[in-house]
Amino acid sequence: MFGYVRPGGRLSDEDRKHFQSAYCGLCHTLGRRCGMAARLILNYDFTFLAMLLSESSTCQTRRCPLHPLRGRACACQNEALERSADYSVILLWWQLQDGIADHGFWGAIRYRLAAALLRRAYRKARFARPGFDESARRELAELARLEAEGCPSVDLPADRFARLLAGIAGEEEGTRRRVLEQMLYHLGRWIYLADAADDLKRDLRRGNYNPLALRFAHEGGVLTPESRQELGKTMDGSVRAMAAAFELAEFGAYRGVIENVIYEGLYLVGAAVLNGTFRRRKGQAKET
Amino acid sequence: MRDPYEVLGISSSATDEEVKKAYRNLARKYHPDNYHDNPLADLAQERMKEINEAYEAIQSRRKGGSYETGGYSAAYSGYSGDAAFARVRAAIAQGNLALAETLLNAQGDHGAEWHFLKGAICHRRGWLDEARRYYQTAVSLDPLNAEYRQALDLMEGNQNAYQPDGYRAMSTVGCGNDLVSRVCGTLLCLNCLSGGGYFFCC
């Protein structure tokens, strides 16, 4: 999907290992559940989601094509990793469908190709998580409708994406459910805004909808300093809401990593995105 | 009741100074200002109560310690002269945002309080950009109202917000241009660690 949600540099060595093992664990889970092709969609955002949903973290050393000899510490397959893997496949599938609908015959070819590669994985994931599949389809269709209307608010389209993520908390119970709902809502809102800021220039060039272009003053796809300030503040509001919720539940072994993402990582990524330095860092990364 | 030392996250051999420090730190973390118009405010309030009780229990056990609790009372409740607005406030307090919005939209009077309440509904929903704009309008229509001003100030974020040990207060815009170029280098990138390509890393 995006890859915006990552820790900053203040991570302790131990937490770094936890993060890496969750990342490797998710990659292996994707491979096992959804096939080799699905491993290509591994990203930081869903690693973060897996850590949020995890109750425990046991590790084992495993080898993979990239680390064939020594292997790496890798979180054992568990419910949280399986859920994250399924969600990432389902979400990407519907984003590809959206891409196919948005582009003409030739433009949509690469989306069709990617969807064809993902079809088997998607079917399996849909079978395991019918509820999420349904809400992803519904919310993204609603989002596409707002985009087609040219909705001038940033909160309304962000709300659709945020709700989609918040729905994941539905499988939890009690306080943990309320806390996760709030965290995932604001995570979704933040990701949507960061992505919109990151894509602003490209969207304007191609004549695509971008809520920031309608809400904030900009010059040729570059936000004016005042707009940047306002957008930054509203993104910070979401990060602070995540932090406030985070402090109300237990997160086991991944607490340190999650804490770092919320108190440092997201601010750094947000700053890089608003400065236009983030996309450059991504280099030739695939656009989804 | 849980062991008060456990609640404050310290050992029973902690010095008075450590007890006070732990208490202050937790009180800052769960301060009502951090949960203003937040759907989880009740959970934070419960934590706050637990922390206050634990601190009081420790103080009374040790005797002679100075009592410093009760400084943070939670729950704000606004006043409204208008009966219709009072109903909207009650609906917001109950968490029934759909009802609150219906009641509010039925109002013809779009004054400062109307904008403030509209902002409060948006804030609860997590629509922070719209909430801020409604609060701003409310403040500009009635600049002397402390309640509206407070809501806007909290929305803008106070500098005293809680940070865990080792972290400084940050904001997205606060990182200046030159800082960001340096800071980007500090973003953790596992791909580099594992030496893999962008997507195929495990």
Side-chain angles (χ1 to χ4, degrees):
Chain A
M1 182 176 48
F2 310 96
Y4 296 113
V5 185
R6 55 176 84 182
R10 249 171 248 235
L11 210 57
S12 70
D13 285 347
E14 197 190 342
D15 286 335
R16 194 175 283 237
K17 276 186 199 134
H18 280 310
F19 180 51
Q20 182 251 309
S21 72
Y23 192 70
C24 292
L26 183 60
C27 186
H28 278 285
T29 309
L30 273 167
R32 201 173 313 115
R33 277 177 84 79
C34 310
M36 273 312 261
R39 289 176 95 154
L40 298 172
I41 69 175
L42 174 69
N43 75 39
Y44 292 130
D45 300 355
F46 283 96
T47 308
F48 183 71
L49 180 66
M51 290 190 291
L52 278 185
L53 299 176
S54 282
E55 307 265 354
S56 68
S57 71
T58 44
C59 280
Q60 64 190 107
T61 302
R62 298 198 54 169
R63 288 194 287 257
C64 67
L66 272 182
H67 307 99
L69 297 178
R70 294 181 58 195
R72 303 214 122 210
C74 168
C76 294
Q77 187 153 10
N78 62 33
E79 172 76 13
L81 291 172
E82 289 174 2
R83 282 171 70 188
S84 287
D86 290 347
Y87 295 147
S88 60
V89 168
I90 292 172
L91 195 57
L92 181 60
W93 172 265
W94 286 111
Q95 282 175 327
L96 289 172
Q97 297 304 316
D98 202 31
I100 293 174
D102 280 352
H103 293 77
F105 180 77
W106 294 109
I109 280 186
R110 65 196 185 111
Y111 292 97
R112 282 182 206 281
L113 205 65
L117 281 173
L118 202 66
R119 176 162 284 125
R120 264 175 67 89
Y122 165 68
R123 286 205 178 132
K124 277 191 209 164
R126 182 182 60 183
F127 182 72
R129 322 275 161 205
F132 184 77
D133 178 58
E134 174 55 28
S135 64
R137 192 190 56 76
R138 189 182 59 235
E139 299 296 352
L140 291 181
E142 207 40 49
L143 189 58
R145 192 181 59 77
L146 287 171
E147 287 177 1
E149 279 174 8
C151 176
S153 157
V154 294
D155 282 330
L156 289 182
D159 178 65
R160 304 317 307 196
F161 191 71
R163 270 191 215 200
L164 170 56
L165 285 202
I168 291 174
E171 290 184 29
E172 311 283 332
E173 282 180 3
T175 303
R176 191 173 157 80
R177 176 185 175 149
R178 290 181 59 198
V179 167
L180 278 180
E181 236 167 38
Q182 178 77 358
M183 283 183 80
L184 290 170
Y185 182 93
H186 282 284
L187 179 69
R189 181 177 186 270
W190 185 91
I191 290 178
Y192 184 84
L193 292 176
D195 193 48
D198 208 18
D199 287 343
L200 183 59
K201 216 182 246 178
R202 200 193 62 191
D203 283 343
L204 283 173
R205 200 175 59 229
R206 297 187 183 168
N208 292 348
Y209 169 81
N210 188 308
L212 303 182
L214 301 168
R215 164 70 180 86
F216 295 109
H218 61 88
E219 283 160 18
V222 179
L223 294 173
T224 61
E226 295 79 36
S227 324
R228 206 179 289 173
Q229 188 111 17
E230 261 191 273
L231 176 60
K233 273 186 182 166
T234 201
M235 287 170 72
D236 288 351
S238 276
V239 181
R240 280 201 307 273
M242 282 176 73
F246 166 70
E247 299 294 354
L248 292 167
E250 301 300 326
F251 288 94
Y254 294 119
R255 191 179 197 288
V257 189
I258 300 172
E259 181 181 81
N260 183 289
V261 169
I262 290 176
Y263 286 100
E264 186 184 47
L266 293 181
Y267 291 113
L268 295 179
V269 173
V273 166
L274 289 193
N275 276 284
T277 47
F278 189 79
R279 195 164 264 288
R280 234 179 296 143
R281 277 172 55 79
K282 273 202 285 191
Q284 300 302 310
K286 190 177 77 172
E287 293 168 4
T288 52
Chain B
M1 189 180 157
R2 270 170 72 196
D3 173 36
Y5 289 102
E6 196 188 313
V7 172
L8 296 190
I10 45 178
S11 80
S12 53
S13 58
T15 63
D16 286 355
E17 202 48 47
E18 282 165 349
V19 172
K20 200 180 278 181
K21 199 176 152 206
Y23 168 71
R24 285 204 181 131
N25 197 27
L26 287 170
R28 255 180 82 202
K29 192 192 279 191
Y30 299 110
H31 194 282
D33 280 359
N34 295 338
Y35 295 88
H36 190 80
D37 270 333
N38 188 312
L40 304 178
D42 58 311
L43 295 176
Q45 212 175 320
E46 271 169 35
R47 282 285 175 100
M48 198 69 209
K49 195 169 152 243
E50 201 183 16
I51 293 159
N52 279 335
E53 282 170 1
Y55 185 63
E56 266 174 58
I58 293 173
Q59 294 292 342
S60 63
R61 269 187 214 177
R62 297 188 169 193
K63 283 184 188 147
S66 58
Y67 284 66
E68 267 191 43
T69 61
Y72 305 106
S73 63
Y76 81 109
S77 56
Y79 299 97
S80 179
D82 192 310
F85 285 143
R87 284 217 304 280
V88 176
R89 281 176 190 270
I92 295 176
Q94 284 165 8
N96 190 343
L97 301 180
L99 174 67
E101 185 158 48
T102 315
L103 288 170
L104 205 56
N105 288 342
Q107 287 289 311
D109 163 32
H110 287 196
E113 189 167 10
W114 187 88
H115 281 95
F116 167 72
L117 292 174
K118 195 91 177 161
I121 294 173
C122 288
H123 198 167
R124 281 275 183 131
R125 284 195 169 134
W127 301 2
L128 306 182
D129 185 49
E130 312 231 326
R132 189 159 154 268
R133 289 203 277 173
Y134 280 118
Y135 286 153
Q136 275 173 338
T137 313
V139 169
S140 66
L141 289 173
D142 186 355
L144 297 177
N145 187 302
E147 190 188 14
Y148 309 163
R149 165 67 57 192
Q150 189 207 12
L152 183 61
D153 286 349
L154 288 175
M155 175 113 240
E156 304 271 338
N158 52 0
Q159 291 307 306
N160 299 321
Y162 167 81
Q163 306 292 331
D165 278 349
Y167 291 96
R168 61 199 162 85
M170 290 184 79
S171 72
T172 299
V173 186
C175 312
N177 273 335
D178 55 326
L179 182 66
V180 165
S181 52
R182 240 182 319 132
V183 134
C184 273
T186 72
L187 267 179
L188 190 69
C189 174
L190 274 189
N191 302 311
C192 314
L193 288 180
S194 56
Y198 190 79
F199 280 96
F200 202 69
C201 268
C202 36

